[in-house]
Amino acid sequence: MTTGAATEAGDAVWLRVGEAMPAAARREAALLADRIGLGADRAGDLALAVTEAATNLQRHSDDGALVLRIERQGPAAAVEFLALDSGPGIGDIRAALIDGNSTAGTLGLGLGAINRLADVFAIHSQPGRGTALLARFYPRGAAPPDAPGVHVGGLTRPINGEELCGDTWAAREEITADGVVDTIVMMCDGLGHGPLAARVADTARLAFRESRSVEPARIVQDLHARLKGTRGAAVAVARVDRTRRRVQLSGAGNISGFVLGPQSRQTLMSIPGIVGHSISRLQTFEADLPTGSALVLHSDGLSNRWVPADFPGLLAHGPVLIAGQLLWQAGTRGDDAGIVVVKAGA
Ligand SMILES: [Mn+2]
């Protein structure tokens, strides 16, 4: 087996609705644009779009956040932002995408502009519950042709008051001799929070990246060895066979795993334990991952009481938007939160 493209949690900058948000969002966007060499003209587009999104949030929601992060899939890097709110929602997204079309009380103004400026744009809105918007910016000419099909994505959010997050995720592809691509994904919740938990998360990502194992239970064992001497973590590792549409999962500690369908949610089992301290007899659980479904792994920083019926239409979107909406709606502010989503695709 050889290893293909990899992606993992970068630092996500969370900005809450408040006076200083649009200026802070522009500043953070410029820093991230600089870091990946977005180029002056695309950085300008990003600044315009992020200003529109931040202004919208300020105007229409008391509770909202803008999240900025660098998205990397293999060699392609982009700056993306999510605008998440608990506002009134958008009744007619198509109408809202026409410039200047904004009904009082709805998030609408500027959406058309953001849509035009971004390489990838997606929006999921639930009247009465809120809206999640994703916009992604590549350097000019660098957007991969299959960008909308990117099938792994996730999001983390530190506990209130901390900048570093102990929850993390990572994914890599394994290409078999016959050219079949499996996706292997990890969700890790470093015990506690703050810098010590973040160090566990860093070590776990590194161990995952360096592990040459392909069986989920073996990868958890590899992480167990590497996390000795740290606080330890709850970890789940899943392998998605996109051809057979099957998922295998092995984990220890409190990570929630689900196969999410439009109307269904199947729970994947994990065993008790602390990776890095004590795990006993890891087990591997298997399930089908039908077309149009998604694998969702999240830490206990999200309540696991969410139900698919609360998110109509969400599964039609890409993994980052799914992750953002679930984290926003089911996340607790009293703990680090992390979620990663693998789309089974068409
Ligand atoms: Mn936790």
Side-chain angles (χ1 to χ4, degrees):
M1 288 216 174
T2 56
T3 300
T7 182
E8 57 186 38
D11 295 333
V13 179
W14 284 78
L15 303 169
R16 297 287 292 279
V17 161
E19 277 300 306
M21 190 219 240
R26 271 195 300 276
R27 201 163 52 237
E28 294 293 345
L31 287 172
L32 296 182
D34 224 44
R35 212 196 293 170
I36 67 156
L38 193 59
D41 56 341
R42 289 303 278 154
D45 293 344
L46 169 64
L48 276 176
V50 89
T51 304
E52 288 290 344
T55 309
N56 261 334
L57 283 173
Q58 297 278 93
R59 222 176 264 153
H60 298 297
S61 57
D62 305 326
D63 190 19
L66 201 73
V67 193
L68 295 114
R69 61 180 290 270
I70 288 171
E71 163 75 7
R72 280 181 208 279
Q73 303 264 351
V79 177
E80 68 182 13
F81 67 81
L82 282 159
L84 305 167
D85 74 64
S86 309
I90 304 170
D92 187 343
I93 289 173
R94 207 167 309 200
L97 287 175
I98 300 166
D99 273 348
N101 191 330
S102 175
T103 335
T106 71
L107 179 94
L109 205 69
L111 287 186
I114 300 170
N115 183 21
R116 270 200 316 279
L117 291 164
D119 291 303
V120 176
F121 175 87
I123 189 161
H124 179 255
S125 191
Q126 301 155 281
R129 292 187 62 136
T131 301
L133 175 156
L134 169 76
R136 186 176 298 152
F137 294 77
Y138 289 92
R140 187 160 305 291
D146 62 342
V150 166
H151 71 278
V152 185
L155 194 62
T156 57
R157 180 177 70 186
I159 187 173
N160 263 355
E162 290 285 354
E163 276 185 21
L164 299 172
C165 189
D167 285 8
T168 195
W169 59 272
R172 57 180 159 91
E173 289 183 336
E174 287 289 335
I175 304 159
T176 61
D178 43 356
V180 174
V181 179
D182 284 356
T183 299
I184 302 175
V185 62
M186 170 196 75
M187 182 72 229
C188 167
D189 175 353
L191 292 195
H193 47 78
L196 284 177
R199 210 157 74 198
V200 178
D202 291 344
T203 308
R205 275 198 315 277
L206 189 65
F208 178 81
R209 213 184 295 149
E210 291 177 356
S211 166
R212 294 278 71 89
S213 306
V214 290
E215 306 303 330
R218 291 288 304 276
I219 298 173
V220 176
Q221 290 285 4
D222 292 343
L223 265 72
H224 181 57
R226 288 287 289 277
L227 290 179
K228 290 214 161 82
T230 73
R231 287 183 162 192
V235 173
V237 172
R239 177 178 175 177
V240 174
D241 179 333
R242 282 144 72 189
T243 315
R244 287 172 55 235
R245 299 193 179 287
R246 294 281 290 172
V247 55
Q248 292 181 318
L249 180 139
S250 185
N254 197 6
I255 300 286
S256 294
F258 303 107
V259 172
L260 177 62
Q263 313 286 342
S264 63
R265 195 186 80 162
Q266 182 191 350
T267 300
L268 296 165
M269 299 298 293
S270 206
I271 61 160
I274 300 172
V275 176
H277 287 208
S278 57
I279 51 174
S280 55
R281 268 176 295 157
L282 287 169
Q283 296 178 48
T284 302
F285 301 91
E286 285 204 39
D288 286 325
L289 194 64
T291 304
S293 66
L295 169 71
V296 176
L297 305 178
H298 68 68
S299 74
D300 62 356
L302 281 75
S303 156
N304 58 17
R305 290 192 301 272
W306 58 270
V307 293
D310 287 343
F311 300 92
L314 183 58
L315 256 185
H317 290 286
V320 176
L321 194 70
I322 296 173
Q325 186 69 298
L326 285 172
L327 191 154
W328 182 253
Q329 305 263 352
T332 98
R333 298 200 192 279
D335 197 355
D336 292 338
I339 177 169
V340 63
V341 175
V342 184
K343 277 291 282 284

